[in-house]
Amino acid sequence: MADTVQPTNMDLLRFATAGSVDDGKSTLIGRLLLDSKSIFEDQLEAVEATSQSKGYDYTDLALLTDGLRSEREQGITIDVAYRYFATPNRKFIIADTPGHVQYTRNMVTGASTADLGLVLVDARNGLTEQSRRHAVILSLLRVPHMVLAINKMDLVDFSQETYEKIHAEFTQFATKLNIPDLEVIPISALAGDNVVNRSENMSWYSGPTLMHHLEHVHVASDRDLIDARFPVQYVVRPKSDEHHDYRGYGGMVAGGVLKPGDEVVVLPSGMTSKIAGIDLFDREIDEAFPPMSVTVRLEDDVDVSRGDMIARVRNAPTPSQDIDAMVCWMTTTPLKPRQKLAIKHTTRTARALVKDIQYRLDVNTLHRDQETKELGVNEIGRVQLRTTVPLLCDPYSQNRTTGSFILIDEATGVTVGAGMINSGS
Amino acid sequence: MTETHADYRLSQLDQLEAESIHIFREVAAEFEKPVLMFSGGKDSIVMLRLAEKAFYPAKIPFPVLQVDTGLDFPEVLETRDNWVNRLGVRLVVASIDDAIANGVVVDDGKTSRNRMQIGTLLNAIEENGFTAAFGGGRRDEEKARAKERVYSHRDEFGQWDPKNQRPELWSLYNGRLHEGEHMRIFPISNWTELDIWDYIGREGIEIPNIYFSHQRRVFVRDGMLMSETPLNPLRAGEVVEERTVRFRTCGDISLTGCVESTASTIPEIIEEIAVAKLTERGATRGDDRFSEAAMEDRKKEGYF
Ligand SMILES: Nc1nc2c(ncn2[C@@H]2O[C@H](COP(=O)(O)OP(=O)(O)OP(=O)(O)O)[C@@H](O)[C@H]2O)c(=O)[nH]1
Ligand SMILES: [Mg+2]
């Protein structure tokens, strides 16, 4: 094995870019890939050739991620691009998201699975409505780590004063958000200052480079290992001579640690049993924890099917048909009270009725507007839903898997809303 | 095999495996008629391995579909048969020759076999009524693939609309379809070429031997080393010579080049890729070199 790469024991950091259009997100990702030597020659040559044919003075690194024809034509990002690179200890999955307000739904897509949100601002403009919106979305999505990268420092003479001013403005705004970990780094994505290599132009800055921070930020403790949650995804029944009586429940552990012998309850039926064994392919394992995909066998022949949840007897979610959640709306027809939608929560699909829209969040001021009883495209608000069957949910703040859902338009089949549960009752 | 870490951390490869298994189970649970598109290359072999694990000890609950281009490497077909027999899955072969004979696609002498795969594939999906087709595409392969969702919606014409993809949040996949539409599913989206090799090494599974270093009679075309074969007639000025090579991808024999290499074990291959200067597609795939948007254009039409 090459001594530079040992993927078997590497850990994983997923991060997503955020910020207004043209603040330099794609350029930064291009720079990060280039300076960490993760770009292949043919990729770089293609980007150099395109930059030249477009008459640019410099190589447009954004072209490394702006992979669609229309993105290259318009010079903007339309949909998320996923890129990958690795350093000796960590693999990174990058979601480079669009800044344009019209494509907020794609930003939400990229950010939903992120461990870290990388918010860019243009040092010349400071915070814009869109950078605030993205910070709010990252905070609602409970992306546990955030970096504010103050970009284009080359265009403000690497001014410490500008950095301090934006830093202060953001810190002020962030007090109203839920951001457990924030790092503020002055950079130039185009020139490379403080991206992988330390800037020679900002001796006043003593913090880490972006790359150093990404390599060292501590992500292992972000999962819930206390509250056992196992949404049943698929019933495994071989019906073969060899495994005649085998009956297992396939799924991904959403929380806690499961062990053979554990006393468990199956929801919503409330039947109890014990874990007889946990299988990972052809091996029995001693314990399963998030995000492992395993097959759980129970001691008793209880009725369990897809959409059910296995939890601990004294620590289980409350089945609930009344859901209170923050919803991010992602289509042009507004969300209104009385509307009916399909809802998918863990492995359970049901229908939902919008009972009330309690308020709409102003992303600039974080003011709660209780007058407007609808949510337009890219708006966020607090919504009450009534579902046809009980959902087995936890607050999103406790568990990102059992606390989230999507809303689907039943006519078009399109995903139109993302929900983060406050509580079920 | 998977180590269970004392501090409840899962290595990145185990995380990728868990994510892929989750996707396989989700599709098997929610779609009426899934199928796994199998080329016999390393990515589709890893897919098949993951499907095997997802449903074990039950058999994989869907068939495997292969588009027979008539230009496949014999070593690849052999590996395919071994896999299919070992797992006891049903193999559906959609042949381009049959598609031409039946008027499903037109061989006008100008269209490459690679492009004719699209019509053949879409016809097979429609004829069999498949509603979900697993593909082994990886986002690190190519910049248009880097944009694609795990569940990639296709309209009645099998087309992908990259500017209008459905949002895809968390691990909550939306499999809603209208009559005649289908979904392409990419369970190994987040794997890189290196992850694939690391996994093949760890699992000790069979792959076609053309991935390993061997002696082969080759000639240079468009800067790539191509195999000498009656399926790919020599053009003026092309000279055949024997070299020590291996393949980084398994496409059709007329378009897929090999690289000079002495890597004959998986650790050696991993070492080689770690320092490679070209992407696997840029280095050896004629089908992607024609234009900057070659892959995007084919994908829009319904390519894998
Ligand atoms: N001078 C200077 N220009 C920069 C810097 N970073 C980015 N730019 C330029 O800003 C423009 C926009 O950059 P992009 O990377 O495409 O911006 P983006 O944030 O990805 O935009 P969207 O994805 O469309 O939201 C390009 O012309 C870049 O070359 C920087 O650090 N300094
Ligand atoms: Mg961009």
Side-chain angles (χ1 to χ4, degrees), chain A residues 1-2 5 7-12 14 40-43 50 65 67-72 74 77-82 84 91 93 105-106 108-109 112-113 141 220 223 225 233-234 236 238 243 246 250-252 257 259 280-283 287 289 291-295 306 330 342 344 346-347 349 396 404-406 408 411-415 418-420, chain B residues 1-5 7-13 15-19 21-23 25-26 28-30 49 52-58 61 139-140 143-144 146-149 160 162-174 176 178 189-192 194-195 198 202 248 267 270-271 273-274 276-279 281-283 292-293 296-297 300:
Chain A
M1 168 134 350
V5 221
T8 318
N9 303 313
M10 270 201 277
D11 76 0
L12 183 63
R14 298 181 194 243
F40 293 95
E41 275 173 11
D42 51 326
Q43 292 173 320
T50 310
T65 58
L68 299 176
R69 191 194 290 277
S70 9
E71 293 180 324
R72 289 193 295 274
Q74 298 172 45
T77 306
I78 291 172
D79 210 331
V80 199
Y82 292 92
Y84 305 81
K91 174 176 165 179
I93 299 184
R105 60 177 191 276
N106 298 333
V108 179
T109 292
S112 67
T113 51
L141 287 169
R223 281 164 306 131
L225 294 169
Q233 204 187 356
Y234 190 89
V236 181
H243 303 280
Y246 188 97
M252 188 181 247
V257 179
K259 293 189 173 90
L280 188 67
F281 186 40
D282 55 359
R283 286 185 315 131
E287 47 188 4
F289 52 91
M292 289 171 84
S293 277
V294 296
T295 306
R306 175 175 165 84
M330 304 187 288
K344 187 171 180 188
T346 66
T347 54
T349 304
Y396 187 78
S404 57
F405 60 81
I406 55 171
I408 299 166
T412 61
V414 171
T415 307
M420 288 138 279
Chain B
M1 289 268 99
T2 314
E3 302 137 50
T4 312
H5 303 266
D7 55 355
Y8 298 115
R9 278 167 64 184
L10 217 48
S11 76
Q12 71 99 10
L13 202 57
Q15 289 191 46
L16 291 175
E17 179 188 66
E19 177 180 87
I21 290 176
H22 176 258
I23 294 165
R25 289 172 168 169
E26 203 59 16
E30 289 203 318
R49 174 62 163 186
E52 177 186 9
K53 289 197 174 188
F55 305 105
Y56 188 88
R139 286 167 174 161
D140 85 319
K143 57 189 176 308
K147 292 271 161 183
E148 196 160 9
R149 301 279 189 262
W160 179 49
K163 280 183 72 178
N164 208 5
Q165 300 191 86
R166 290 177 179 175
E168 189 166 86
L169 291 107
W170 301 290
S171 47
L172 287 171
Y173 301 103
N174 171 3
R176 297 265 163 151
H178 290 112
S189 286
N190 288 325
W191 296 55
T192 64
L194 217 50
D195 296 328
D198 201 40
R202 176 177 106 171
R248 272 178 86 183
I270 291 175
E271 207 166 334
I273 302 168
K277 292 195 162 55
L278 298 179
T279 60
R281 288 199 161 257
E292 218 194 356
E296 179 179 346
D297 292 343
K300 279 185 191 162

Side-chain angles (χ1 to χ4, degrees), chain A residues 21-27 58 76-77 99 151-152 154 188-190:
Chain A
V21 70
D22 276 352
D23 281 356
K25 299 178 287 299
S26 302
T27 307
Y58 52 87
I76 60 163
T77 306
N151 187 31
K152 308 199 185 181
D154 54 306
S188 169
L190 195 65

Side-chain angles (χ1 to χ4, degrees), chain A residues 15-20 22-39 58-66 77 83 85 94-97 116-122 147-154 183 185-197 209-214:
Chain A
F15 70 93
T17 61
S20 299
D22 276 352
D23 281 356
K25 299 178 287 299
S26 302
T27 307
L28 175 60
I29 297 313
R31 170 59 64 189
L32 207 51
L33 294 171
L34 186 69
D35 288 0
S36 64
K37 311 215 164 20
S38 314
I39 297 293
Y58 52 87
T59 302
D60 185 359
L61 296 175
L63 294 171
L64 284 166
T65 58
D66 287 341
T77 306
R83 297 300 307 246
F85 77 102
I94 312 171
D96 180 33
T97 76
L116 181 145
L118 177 54
V119 183
L120 268 79
V121 292
D122 184 327
V147 172
L148 179 71
I150 303 179
N151 187 31
K152 308 199 185 181
M153 289 301 290
D154 54 306
E183 188 74 43
I185 308 177
I187 63 165
S188 169
L190 195 65
D193 295 70
N194 288 339
V195 179
V196 171
N197 305 313
T209 61
L210 176 61
M211 180 66 132
H212 185 273
H213 184 65
L214 293 174

Side-chain angles (χ1 to χ4, degrees), chain A residues 226-239:
Chain A
I226 309 289
D227 311 293
R229 300 286 185 267
F230 187 75
V232 176
Q233 204 187 356
Y234 190 89
V235 181
V236 181
R237 292 230 54 186
K239 296 186 184 156

